[in-house]
Amino acid sequence: MADFELKELLENNKFDDLTEEHLDVLKTMKILVDDGLDEKKVLSFRYCKEKYSSPYSIFVIFPTLACNLACKYCYERTSELSARTMDEKTVVNTISFIKKMAAEDNTRTILIKLYGGEPLLNVAACTRICEEVSSWAQQLGMQVAVVLQTNGTLLTEDVLDALAPYLTYVELTVDGPQKNHDTIRIYKDGSGTYQDIMSAMERVTKRGIHTALRINIRNEDDLRDVLTDLTERGFREKRGVTFYYAQTSSFGLCELFSNNKLCHDDEERALEMSPAVREVIKELKWMEHLEMPDILQKQKFVACNNEKKARYVIDPYGDIYLCFFRAGQKEYRAGTLTEGEGQFGSMYYEMLARNPLQFEECRTCVYLPLCGGGCAMRAYEQSGTFHTNSCGSMKDFAEKRILMYLKRKYPDRFEKVI
Amino acid sequence: MPEKKIENNQEKIKSSRYNVYYKVKGKEKHALFNTLTRAILSIDIELKEVLEKGDVNTLEPGIKESLLQMGAVVPSHLDEKQIYEFRHNMTKYTAEDSSFVIFPTYDCNLRCPYCYEGTEKLSTFMDSVTVQNTIDFIKRTTVENGSKVVILGLYGGEPLLYPEICYQIASAVKEWAHSNNIVYYGTLTTNGTLLNEETAQLVLPYIASVHITLDGPEDIHNTMRVYRSGKGSYNDVMRAVEVVKDMPKHLTLRIHVNVEDETYKGLQVLDDLEQRGLKGRENLHIYFKQLEPPDACLSLSLDKEYIKKKEKGLNKFPEVWKKAQEMGWGPHMSVEAGSEHGMLTFNIIPCDHLKRGRYSVDPFGDVYLCPMSAGRKHHSIGTLQKGGGLILAPSYYTLLTRSPAHLEGCSECQYLPICSGGCPISIWEETHNYLGSYCGFLKQLKITAIKSHLRHQYPEKFSEVI
């Protein structure tokens, strides 16, 4: 551990006063680097490597933009999106596009994410895409993984009969314990969905399909209630059940994308309650089911997974997007499907050529390796170009996360770190 | 995927920043070449005027559509430099295959007068520790890169001076690749003199492709490719060609031709090859080069005499190809645009060695990006450690992250997409800075190559292009 004097020496580049032993340790940890090494170039190299050579391709498919629920916080609900559903021609084009891009990306694994809207409002499209892509990929020795992100209310035995052979896992969401959930995640007639989601989870796990449950909570007590209920329903003893938790937000967009006060407060609260939440998980013996990136393991060079090559979002109109949250809004489309291929427009190239090492503000920022320049889409909305930084709350939280991580990982040394 | 535009006809368009024009002598026509899409068009003066100075939005819809397809006009909000940069980065950072060029030694049993390989380091060969480190390095790096294919190139020096080393490395890598579901491809670049039945039996089971050089027919070859004693090597090289001939392997013959000699006497070696039964052999590839040191692209790339000679070659090679085709060797050659030995290579990076997944390992265990730079210690990207580790030198990151679209002198150049700023290593040789801008004769050579390509590929339209 560094003492005050060492910090002084490091900050003032006074390395002559260091012992050999110190020097060795500091060099191994890359706290000191050779004078000739430009760490920005190392970062730029790693950034580009991560961005341009992904071993897998992800296709996020919106079989429909419609949904049978009317959750109060849903961003899709409040925006003026249509209830458009993918027609047969677009399904065929989507399949050709997946094959073409997977071949072009020289991918090893195709990840299909059925998203929406509620994807199971268009089971025919889901099934056909899974079926045709899987049999094609099998011949070429490629792996296919299918993730179904559904509200669960339409996950009947019949639907599972059709889709189960392809499903790698199913993602479900509950909005806290039933009494809260049933006021938020509601059918259009206002009735709650909790019981239906639990039944769906039962059916999925019974077939041996992995379930990933997102549990939205306001505080640790919410999580306690949900996990207690899940235990009573026998899910704790089931294999292939994982969960993660998130702060219930009234603005359900991703952390990078949001920089307004509401999201900032949400994230702040999430960090604050994190130690208490983990205590609850340990106490209720759910730790081995918890599957979420640790505070710092979130580290990535490219800000958002969808800013990389080999990421495609396809909406029911057959338009290609880079960001999930903009699907269906034509002014943000990066391309469009045509028979047998896709055609990309300028947005695609602009996004893919983005490199924060070329942004003045990012180049000198010590947090750049944790942040990657922030959300490209947000940058675009603020400045009309992807080629600029979008800090959002990043700097604030980077520091808080580091401190939180140190406290948790090395309680004996860093309990009082501020 | 082609850079087709999703925008419809109503949208505003502009001329591509990557259009270049060459006049056709005696005709009211111009050749248009787009350096990004590589599209070629014959256009009249009026259209050229509009493309260069006018408003392309006023063009007829039919013409607009074709020009859009070719990339000669683009939607007005499209920044084509981003397309270039995207494709450049894609090519540079993906490592679908990892390629390792191995120098078992820098030594050679020949003493060709034109060969520049230094003499001071000749006596060394790879010791057993370095051999093991090399094998470990190859395995480890291929996995780290996530490559589906590993390419092993035995090179030098003359690799067959140390057939045991070749065998040890190639057999270990091939076996490992097979048991790890990775495709293995082995190549051998040899002068041929030591490729006899014994070395063939030892090494060739691990080699899919053999590369041999001929300096022309016997009399010319024997004055150039000579043993230390001065004796010619022609018969020995031909024996190697015949050893490989009946094996199911790719065989590539590099044939040196002097373009100053209007009769192209060097081509006579083809007759001998025909007599030896090579013509029509499956997987035989031949290509022609001017006589030059193997590392000419580094050592001479800024030499005025060399550039002149190079330019002459670019103008003359179509004739050489035509002659060889007339002799019936067309099926063994690939000279069309985009092919490695054609006039116009379509690389979007300066050189195929300057990307992720490219390594050359010399007898000292020093690693280089580019085999031509091997032995020039300054360009080493690191030295192999025990267990095959490699701590990358700062220069690696400088070379890899060099971004031609942001280099002064390159960023606004119309030829950027076919040049990518030239070879940073040769630029270093001149400026001692990898990021230096040294266009030199590079642009002139690119223009010569484009025009030569136009002339020989489209003689009816462009034979008089100037």
Side-chain angles (χ1 to χ4, degrees), chain B residues 251-270:
Chain B
L251 172 61
T252 303
L253 298 175
R254 170 178 171 132
I255 297 169
H256 283 151
V257 175
N258 179 3
V259 297
E260 303 288 347
D261 162 24
E262 297 288 332
T263 63
Y264 305 123
K265 197 162 172 270
L267 285 177
Q268 287 172 10
V269 71
L270 294 175

Side-chain angles (χ1 to χ4, degrees), chain B residues 12 26 36 62 73 115 151 155 159 281 305 344 359 389 417 442-443:
Chain B
K12 288 265 181 208
L36 181 65
V73 300
C115 186
I151 302 169
Y155 197 79
R281 179 195 184 272
E305 282 306 308
L344 277 181
Y359 314 88
L442 210 52
K443 196 198 252 176

Side-chain angles (χ1 to χ4, degrees), chain A residues 137-386:
Chain A
Q138 202 171 18
Q139 288 164 16
L140 296 170
M142 283 182 206
Q143 305 282 319
V144 179
V146 178
V147 175
L148 170 65
Q149 177 150 339
T150 171
N151 62 38
T153 58
L154 302 168
L155 207 47
T156 60
E157 292 291 349
D158 283 351
V159 166
L160 277 170
D161 283 345
L163 279 175
Y166 312 106
L167 292 179
T168 310
Y169 69 90
V170 175
E171 265 184 38
L172 296 167
T173 303
V174 290
D175 282 334
Q178 179 161 15
K179 59 180 189 299
N180 300 331
H181 177 104
D182 280 346
T183 63
I184 308 169
R185 272 196 169 241
I186 48 176
Y187 288 107
K188 288 185 172 150
D189 67 5
S191 61
T193 57
Y194 190 85
Q195 188 49 50
D196 291 343
I197 294 171
M198 287 299 138
S199 309
M201 190 159 154
E202 183 70 44
R203 283 191 286 274
V204 173
T205 48
K206 214 156 115 192
R207 290 190 189 229
I209 299 166
H210 190 122
T211 314
L213 184 65
R214 172 180 166 129
I215 305 175
N216 287 332
I217 53 171
R218 293 164 304 175
N219 50 46
E220 61 270 27
D221 293 334
D222 276 359
L223 188 65
R224 179 186 297 278
D225 290 351
V226 174
L227 290 181
T228 305
D229 183 42
L230 291 173
T231 307
E232 278 166 20
R233 289 171 189 268
F235 286 117
R236 195 179 63 188
E237 313 329 315
K238 290 246 167 73
R239 295 178 59 184
V241 173
T242 57
F243 79 100
Y244 68 102
Y245 60 88
Q247 181 77 357
T248 302
S249 172
S250 37
F251 192 75
L253 292 179
C254 88
E255 161 209 326
L256 278 171
F257 203 60
S258 3
N259 69 349
N260 66 7
K261 177 90 168 63
L262 199 61
C263 292
H264 185 279
D265 292 351
D266 254 6
E267 177 64 19
E268 187 136 52
R269 176 84 189 98
L271 272 172
E272 269 170 28
M273 73 180 186
S274 153
V277 165
R278 294 183 87 89
E279 279 310 311
V280 168
I281 299 170
K282 271 186 207 155
E283 184 196 321
L284 297 178
K285 301 195 174 64
W286 273 84
M287 211 60 194
E288 63 185 77
H289 296 276
L290 177 66
E291 207 162 86
M292 73 192 284
D294 202 351
I295 305 177
L296 279 187
Q297 279 163 7
K298 268 189 168 173
Q299 175 175 349
K300 54 217 163 171
F301 296 113
V302 181
C304 171
N305 198 20
N306 274 43
E307 202 189 304
K308 297 178 194 166
K309 170 71 173 146
R311 305 290 182 265
Y312 315 92
V313 177
I314 299 165
D315 81 351
Y317 297 93
D319 287 324
I320 306 165
Y321 293 84
L322 294 166
C323 172
F324 289 35
F325 302 119
R326 286 293 169 258
Q329 293 169 255
K330 284 193 188 292
E331 65 270 33
Y332 293 102
R333 69 179 169 177
T336 193
L337 298 185
T338 53
E339 243 162 272
E341 60 179 16
Q343 294 180 350
F344 293 114
S346 49
M347 257 203 181
Y348 180 75
Y349 298 103
E350 257 179 61
M351 176 83 121
L352 270 293
R354 186 179 198 239
N355 183 345
L357 271 301
Q358 285 156 6
F359 312 155
E360 200 51 51
E361 260 191 73
C362 294
R363 208 166 31 230
T364 50
C365 178
V366 67
Y367 293 112
L368 179 59
L370 283 170
C371 150
C375 171
M377 204 50 93
R378 173 65 68 184
Y380 180 81
E381 291 185 350
Q382 284 164 347
S383 318
T385 171
F386 292 124

Side-chain angles (χ1 to χ4, degrees), chain B residues 22 33 73 78 92 97 110-111 118 126 141 185 200 204 237 250 282 300 311 350 373-375 406 448 452:
Chain B
Y22 308 107
F33 180 73
V73 300
L78 181 71
K92 193 160 71 178
D97 51 62
L110 299 188
R111 283 293 179 271
M126 218 178 241
T141 309
Y185 193 82
L204 290 193
V237 176
H250 281 264
E282 241 179 278
L300 294 175
E311 211 167 357
S373 69
H406 296 270
T448 308
S452 179

Side-chain angles (χ1 to χ4, degrees), chain B residues 230-249:
Chain B
K231 183 177 157 260
S233 62
Y234 188 80
N235 286 331
D236 298 331
V237 176
M238 278 301 176
R239 188 198 54 218
V241 169
E242 296 202 32
V243 166
V244 182
K245 188 186 80 179
D246 300 322
M247 297 178 164
K249 296 189 186 303

Side-chain angles (χ1 to χ4, degrees), chain A residues 36 41 45 48-49 52-53 100-101 104 106-108 309 341-344 346 349 352-353 358 387, chain B residues 1 3-4 6 77-78 82-83 85-86 89-90 93-94 96 146-148 356 394 397-398 401 406:
Chain A
K41 293 200 168 99
F45 173 76
C48 287
K49 191 169 110 176
Y52 297 111
S53 69
K100 187 178 155 62
M101 294 316 296
E104 202 176 296
N106 201 17
T107 195
R108 285 164 188 262
K309 170 71 173 146
E341 60 179 16
Q343 294 180 350
F344 293 114
S346 49
Y349 298 103
L352 270 293
Q358 285 156 6
H387 291 247
Chain B
M1 181 160 293
E3 287 69 44
K4 288 189 189 155
I6 58 163
H77 62 268
L78 181 71
Q82 313 272 5
I83 298 181
E85 203 171 4
F86 165 64
N89 283 337
M90 274 304 295
Y93 288 103
T94 48
E96 285 157 13
S147 300
K148 290 177 171 175
R356 250 184 94 216
Y397 298 105
T398 308
T401 60
H406 296 270

